[in-house]
Amino acid sequence: MKKKKSPIKPLKLKRKEKAKKVTKKHFKSDAGNDQGLNKPPVSPLNVLHDAADLLDETGHMNENIHTDIPSTLPVLAVRDIVVFNYMILPLFVGREKSVNAVEASMTSDRYVLILTQEDESIETPEHDDLYKTGTVCMIMRMLKMPDGRLKVLVQGVSRAKVKRFIGSEPFHVAEIRTISEEEAEPITPQQEALIRSSREQSEKILSLRGISSADIMSVLNNVDEPGRLADLIASNLRMKVPVAQSILECEGPVERLTLVNTQLTQEVEVASMQNKIQSMAKEGMDKAQRDFYLREQLKAIKNELGESHDEAEEMEELKNAIKKAKMPKEVRKEAEKQLRRLEAMHPEASEATVIRTYLDWMTEIPWKKQSRDRLDIIEAKKILDEDHYDIEKVKERILEYLSVRKLNPSMKGPILCFVGPPGVGKTSLGRSIARSLQRKFHRMSLGGMRDEAEIRGHRRTYIGSMPGRIIQGIKQCGTRNPVIMLDEIDKLGSDFRGDPSSALLEVLDPEQNNTFTDHYLNVPYDLSKAMFICTANVLDSIPRPLLDRMEVIRLPGYTEHEKVKIARRYLIARQTKENGLEEDELIMNDETLAKIITEYTREAGLRNLEREIGSVCRKLARKKAEGEKGPFEVTTEVLHKLLGIPRYLEDEKEKVLPPGVAVGLAWTPFGGTILHIEVSAMPGKGKLLLTGQLGDVMKESAQAAVSFARRHAEEYGISPTFHEEMDLHIHVPDGATPKDGPSAGVTLVTALVSALTNIPADPELAMTGEISLRGRVLPVGGIKEKILAAVSLGMKRALIPAQNMRDLEDIPDDLRAMIDITPIERIEEVWPKAKIK
């Protein structure tokens, strides 16, 4: 019997080898799919190579493809894919009905209707589970597998709609109506723009996917019909089944291409974002690989240099350091937590460096170690006396602390505040205290500090963060009970970085500083064993809550007698040594020292005095260097040759005072001094003129003095209407120096009464005291310095407020014997004692 000839003409391929290669690849990649159908190829438009074989050079279907399609066809149900015209794809057929439909098609004209399932999870779909619009395909090749399954290669021929299903056993059969393409019409500009846009979007996708686009774009450029171009592109786009099905069901070519162009736009956006993500990931991977390579090179270089340090060895060292640090339980828990974090990090990570530095601080701070105090009271007193002359109150307070410490070792460290003018030895006294206690000493200058982090430290989130200066000082000392001197605490500032004085509230409170928390450490540290000593020149600028936490000890300025003693005992010896002289090569008597103090220095402390002595020593050192041999004697006659003309002239005591002038006592940061207050009464209309750079308080004292004089005018023999008939001019000489304070009230009243009565005041009488409108004389400060100034200037008598008599205990007995001091309680007592009788 003669074999029946197949109605299908063989497909003429222009590029046989390439098409064959693609077909084998597709079969191989789908070998493991047992769901009945493979998914589309991964890269979009990658099947266009095969689609090119179906089209001639004009973009139309090859005439050799059979198009005589029967009206009744077997149905092949597929899932997760929609087949379009001109589409060539491999299928892996495994379901029984699908196998029967393929075999039936192969025995007839090889046509089969491919319909997509609405729900891909249904294993055995029925008629209602399938879309009613599909594609008539020709089975080009079929391969039977040993287990009965089939591999087929199909080609889309025409779109078709199901009129009705005829049967479902042994496979689905449907009566169909093919959907023919509308006849080509002249392309409008709108359609041309749509076609070009679709081509450009396709080219973008190809470039973003890294696919060679020359051959594919050649095919797309040859297709001018909108419908065919839409099917060609849609068959290779990644789309969800409902979207692809809607394009397949669209019969209008232009409308179909519009839907495809919309999907192309979305695919371009997705591909661009995916390409961007891949690029970023690649850059990150490249950087990580580069860093790893460089680190390995660095490690190899260190190994060659013998500088390698094993990470495991470093971790073991940190563990041992944490154990040896004897941290409190809570602190050790935090340190071990940070160590575990460090072990889990890359050693070159920036965070690892921060944690490593933090652990270094935690292990180097003395948590338990403290120095043993020298509790020999006699020896401590001896050391304090060696280092400083006088200041008995301070020495007594230190010896009291040592005594209590000896009886109660668990006592908390005191907070002392030394207040006094510059140069009286506040800072050096702190060193002497540490020496007498045999403790470590750390000085911390607070002058100009404005950042709270200087006290509490920076948080570890900041670059370059570190603990505050309190913890740094503790670490430098190596013990938890050093003597910490907070110098110039009255010169603290504040700005947007915080208020350091507020941060010191916790540090300088013995009840709170046992749990002081530094921002960097972030764990409590016990500061209660440390001894804090603060220094200040004045108390006015120290906040009241901070001042309340400190025990204030005042260091008054030195008298001339005390300065001579200190210079003889300490300053001359130190300066001769520093300037290359032997101590016995300089001969200077007390009279010469007193002349240096009075004519070349004007201060409460000793800094300028030591400079002047040093200047003398340098002049003598030059003589010695030039060959002249000592000893060198410095007398008052040769002093001006060594130091030049005197810088300060001693205020001469006037033998006779004119009416309207009185001598007052004043306090300055450099010690006491006297003021001549002058009052001039002139005919006028009652104006009051105040000159001499007077402060507000002193101006108010002048007004109170005028009010007192008006009230008691008759008692002093003054015209009751003087305030209407006379102008008063009150002046305080040395006008370039600002003056303020209430202590000039008594002197102002005396000068005013003297001017109005035309009776002079006693030139050998000095006075001080604040006045009230009721006539009371109120206490003032600086009595010691004021009395010493009065003695040095030859005053014989002094008037002070009665409440200030207790301050005379600070004045040496020999100086008190040189002046007659009279207490006054009311202003009425002053004029009878002040006027010349």
Side-chain angles (χ1 to χ4, degrees):
M1 184 177 178
K2 190 175 180 180
K3 187 176 181 180
K4 187 176 179 181
K5 188 176 181 181
S6 172
I8 302 178
K9 296 181 180 181
L11 184 66
K12 294 182 180 180
L13 300 178
K14 296 180 180 180
R15 292 175 291 178
K16 295 183 179 179
E17 294 182 359
K18 188 170 184 180
K20 185 175 181 181
K21 182 178 180 182
V22 172
T23 300
K24 290 182 179 180
K25 177 181 178 183
H26 288 172
F27 275 120
K28 183 177 180 181
S29 63
D30 299 325
N33 188 349
D34 61 353
Q35 299 300 318
L37 182 64
N38 72 305
K39 292 186 178 182
V42 176
S43 300
L45 304 175
N46 64 347
V47 192
L48 290 179
H49 292 84
D50 302 299
D53 297 322
L54 303 179
L55 305 174
D56 56 22
E57 288 78 0
T58 63
H60 294 80
M61 183 72 73
N62 286 330
E63 296 178 357
N64 294 325
I65 297 178
H66 188 77
T67 58
D68 187 11
I69 301 173
S71 60
T72 302
L73 289 176
V75 176
L76 178 60
V78 298
R79 45 185 161 188
D80 70 13
I81 192 173
V82 175
V83 181
F84 290 89
N85 283 349
Y86 322 122
M87 188 175 181
I88 299 175
L89 78 160
L91 298 176
F92 190 41
V93 182
R95 292 186 287 200
E96 183 178 358
K97 287 188 178 182
S98 299
V99 172
N100 294 336
V102 171
E103 290 179 345
S105 175
M106 291 298 292
T107 59
S108 59
D109 49 16
R110 294 196 176 190
Y111 285 115
V112 64
L113 176 63
I114 295 181
L115 298 177
T116 305
Q117 295 179 202
E118 293 182 2
D119 185 357
E120 64 179 28
S121 62
I122 298 175
E123 186 64 29
T124 306
E126 298 299 332
H127 299 160
D128 294 338
D129 299 325
L130 303 174
Y131 286 105
K132 301 305 183 286
T133 301
T135 304
V136 177
C137 296
M138 179 191 300
I139 300 177
M140 300 173 64
R141 294 175 185 168
M142 183 186 74
L143 176 64
K144 284 189 176 183
M145 305 295 290
D147 57 359
R149 290 177 294 179
L150 305 176
K151 281 186 177 180
V152 295
L153 184 68
V154 298
Q155 168 191 336
V157 176
S158 174
R159 290 180 297 123
K161 280 190 175 182
V162 177
K163 292 183 178 180
R164 63 188 180 91
F165 287 98
I166 298 176
S168 59
E169 295 296 338
F171 52 85
H172 295 294
V173 179
E175 182 180 350
I176 65 169
R177 175 180 65 84
T178 59
I179 301 174
S180 59
E181 287 291 335
E182 297 179 2
E183 293 184 3
E185 295 181 357
I187 298 177
T188 64
Q190 181 180 2
Q191 294 175 356
E192 179 64 25
L194 187 62
I195 291 173
R196 290 184 182 181
S197 176
S198 299
R199 290 171 180 168
E200 291 174 359
Q201 300 279 37
S202 301
E203 188 174 8
K204 287 182 181 179
I205 295 175
L206 292 172
S207 63
L208 290 171
R209 298 299 184 193
I211 302 173
S212 178
S213 61
D215 295 339
I216 299 175
M217 291 309 300
S218 176
V219 174
L220 295 179
N221 291 333
N222 288 331
V223 178
D224 295 328
E225 297 180 14
R228 295 192 177 187
L229 182 63
D231 291 341
L232 192 60
I233 297 175
S235 62
N236 296 281
L237 270 181
R238 295 177 179 176
M239 294 181 290
K240 294 182 179 180
V241 171
V243 177
Q245 185 68 30
S246 65
I247 294 175
L248 180 68
E249 294 175 358
C250 183
E251 297 186 6
V254 177
E255 290 80 1
R256 192 157 68 251
L257 184 59
T258 301
L259 293 176
V260 170
N261 191 61
T262 301
Q263 294 302 315
L264 279 172
T265 302
Q266 296 179 2
E267 182 67 19
V268 167
E269 293 179 0
V270 173
S272 299
M273 183 58 65
Q274 185 178 359
N275 194 52
K276 181 179 179 181
I277 293 172
Q278 290 177 350
S279 176
M280 293 170 62
K282 185 175 183 299
E283 290 178 2
M285 292 176 61
D286 291 344
K287 184 179 184 304
Q289 292 173 352
R290 176 179 173 274
D291 292 347
F292 175 77
Y293 179 69
L294 292 176
R295 290 192 191 101
E296 292 299 318
Q297 282 186 324
L298 184 60
K299 188 182 295 183
I301 293 171
K302 288 184 176 180
N303 287 334
E304 290 296 325
L305 294 174
E307 298 178 358
S308 61
H309 189 68
D310 191 16
E311 296 174 13
E313 182 181 348
E314 181 183 4
M315 295 302 165
E316 190 64 28
E317 289 179 359
L318 287 174
K319 288 181 181 178
N320 294 334
I322 292 174
K323 292 179 181 179
K324 293 179 181 179
K326 298 181 180 180
M327 304 175 182
K329 183 178 179 181
E330 297 79 7
V331 178
R332 181 171 180 175
K333 183 178 179 181
E334 176 66 19
E336 291 175 347
K337 174 185 175 182
Q338 297 298 329
L339 182 61
R340 288 193 296 270
R341 289 185 60 202
L342 181 61
E343 290 175 342
M345 290 182 180
H346 193 284
E348 301 298 330
S350 58
E351 182 68 15
T353 304
V354 173
I355 296 178
R356 193 178 291 110
T357 306
Y358 173 74
L359 290 176
D360 288 341
W361 275 100
M362 293 283 280
T363 54
E364 293 176 8
I365 293 174
W367 297 95
K368 294 293 183 182
K369 183 181 178 181
Q370 62 183 45
S371 57
R372 180 176 297 179
D373 288 340
R374 175 191 290 165
L375 299 178
D376 188 342
I377 310 301
I378 298 176
E379 182 66 21
K381 184 177 186 306
K382 180 181 177 182
I383 292 174
L384 292 174
D385 289 338
E386 287 178 358
D387 291 347
H388 287 82
Y389 176 78
D390 197 21
I391 55 174
E392 296 299 331
K393 282 189 176 181
V394 180
K395 296 177 183 178
E396 288 179 6
R397 180 63 184 87
I398 301 304
L399 297 176
E400 289 170 2
Y401 167 72
L402 291 178
S403 301
V404 176
R405 177 79 176 172
K406 186 174 184 179
L407 300 176
N408 180 18
S410 62
M411 72 167 294
K412 297 177 181 178
I415 312 295
L416 305 180
C417 182
F418 297 155
V419 180
V424 296
K426 299 185 296 296
T427 304
S428 62
L429 187 58
R431 298 183 185 274
S432 297
I433 292 172
R435 179 167 165 251
S436 64
L437 293 172
Q438 285 190 335
R439 289 191 182 186
K440 298 287 186 178
F441 177 78
H442 178 74
R443 175 184 169 274
M444 190 171 96
S445 178
L446 303 181
M449 183 183 293
R450 294 178 177 270
D451 191 354
E452 180 187 350
E454 293 284 343
I455 305 297
R456 288 190 173 274
H458 303 82
R459 299 194 182 276
R460 296 200 300 276
T461 54
Y462 296 105
I463 296 175
S465 58
M466 59 191 308
R469 293 175 63 182
I470 299 291
I471 296 297
Q472 292 181 41
I474 294 287
K475 177 189 173 185
Q476 291 175 12
C477 294
T479 62
R480 60 191 289 253
N481 65 335
V483 174
I484 299 180
M485 171 156 282
L486 305 178
D487 217 357
E488 309 292 350
I489 196 171
D490 58 325
K491 297 175 179 60
L492 280 172
S494 63
D495 59 11
F496 65 93
R497 292 167 292 185
D499 184 3
S501 62
S502 298
L504 282 174
L505 292 176
E506 182 183 5
V507 176
L508 300 181
D509 191 342
E511 299 300 326
Q512 299 181 27
N513 61 12
N514 59 339
T515 57
F516 172 72
T517 301
D518 186 275
H519 286 162
Y520 182 84
L521 299 182
N522 203 28
V523 291
Y525 187 86
D526 186 4
L527 293 176
S528 62
K529 299 301 180 183
M531 183 176 184
F532 289 95
I533 299 176
C534 307
T535 69
N537 297 129
V538 293
L539 296 178
D540 298 341
S541 58
I542 302 178
R544 183 58 54 182
L546 183 60
L547 185 61
D548 184 60
R549 285 163 165 77
M550 300 182 290
E551 179 181 347
V552 177
I553 299 177
R554 296 184 180 273
L555 277 72
Y558 295 109
T559 65
E560 180 181 326
H561 176 72
E562 290 171 339
K563 289 181 180 180
V564 171
K565 293 288 186 183
I566 295 172
R568 180 69 60 196
R569 183 178 297 184
Y570 303 103
L571 304 184
I572 293 177
R574 185 158 60 213
Q575 288 301 317
T576 52
K577 182 179 179 181
E578 289 183 0
N579 290 283
L581 298 174
E582 299 296 333
E583 187 173 354
D584 56 358
E585 289 183 326
L586 174 60
I587 301 174
M588 185 182 296
N589 56 28
D590 292 349
E591 185 181 356
T592 305
L593 284 173
K595 191 175 181 64
I596 295 176
I597 293 169
T598 57
E599 296 185 4
Y600 293 90
T601 66
R602 181 165 290 182
E603 58 179 347
L606 300 164
R607 287 201 180 102
N608 287 330
L609 175 58
E610 186 169 4
R611 290 192 189 101
E612 298 302 328
I613 294 175
S615 179
V616 171
C617 292
R618 288 194 297 273
K619 298 290 192 303
L620 301 180
R622 179 181 176 183
K623 290 183 179 182
K624 182 179 178 180
E626 292 175 348
E628 189 174 343
K629 295 183 179 180
F632 304 99
E633 183 177 3
V634 180
T635 62
T636 56
E637 290 76 13
V638 300
L639 190 61
H640 71 280
K641 295 180 180 179
L642 299 175
L643 298 179
I645 61 174
R647 295 182 181 86
Y648 305 100
L649 295 177
E650 183 177 346
D651 294 332
E652 294 184 0
K653 183 183 68 171
E654 298 184 26
K655 296 180 180 180
V656 178
L657 294 178
V661 180
V663 180
L665 296 174
W667 178 92
T668 70
F670 310 106
T673 186
I674 64 171
L675 290 177
H676 287 84
I677 296 181
E678 303 173 349
V679 177
S680 178
M682 303 163 288
K685 295 182 181 181
K687 292 183 180 180
L688 177 63
L689 180 62
L690 304 173
T691 58
Q693 283 210 51
L694 306 184
D696 291 338
V697 177
M698 203 164 181
K699 290 179 181 178
E700 292 169 358
S701 296
Q703 293 171 353
V706 173
S707 299
F708 178 83
R710 289 177 57 186
R711 181 178 179 182
H712 298 274
E714 294 182 1
E715 299 176 15
Y716 294 111
I718 303 173
S719 173
T721 59
F722 77 90
H723 62 283
E724 298 176 354
E725 302 169 351
M726 307 183 72
D727 290 343
L728 297 177
H729 184 177
I730 299 177
H731 177 70
V732 183
D734 196 6
T737 304
K739 310 166 193 70
D740 200 5
S743 61
V746 171
T747 314
L748 283 166
V749 171
T750 304
L752 181 60
V753 173
S754 175
L756 294 174
T757 60
N758 201 30
I759 299 175
D762 188 353
E764 294 185 343
L765 174 67
M767 60 194 74
T768 184
E770 181 181 358
I771 62 171
S772 70
L773 289 177
R774 294 178 296 168
R776 295 181 57 201
V777 178
L778 305 178
V780 294
I783 291 297
K784 178 184 177 182
E785 290 83 358
K786 293 175 180 179
I787 296 300
L788 295 179
V791 172
S792 64
L793 294 174
M795 293 292 175
K796 300 300 182 181
R797 297 184 297 138
L799 301 180
I800 66 172
Q803 297 182 41
N804 284 123
M805 290 300 289
R806 64 180 184 273
D807 296 326
L808 298 181
E809 296 179 0
D810 297 334
I811 303 175
D813 295 337
D814 57 339
L815 293 179
R816 287 182 60 183
M818 298 172 65
I819 187 170
D820 181 16
I821 302 175
T822 303
I824 52 175
E825 294 184 353
R826 298 193 59 81
I827 190 62
E828 292 88 345
E829 304 173 21
V830 176
W831 181 241
K833 296 179 175 61
K835 67 181 180 178
I836 295 180
K837 300 176 182 178

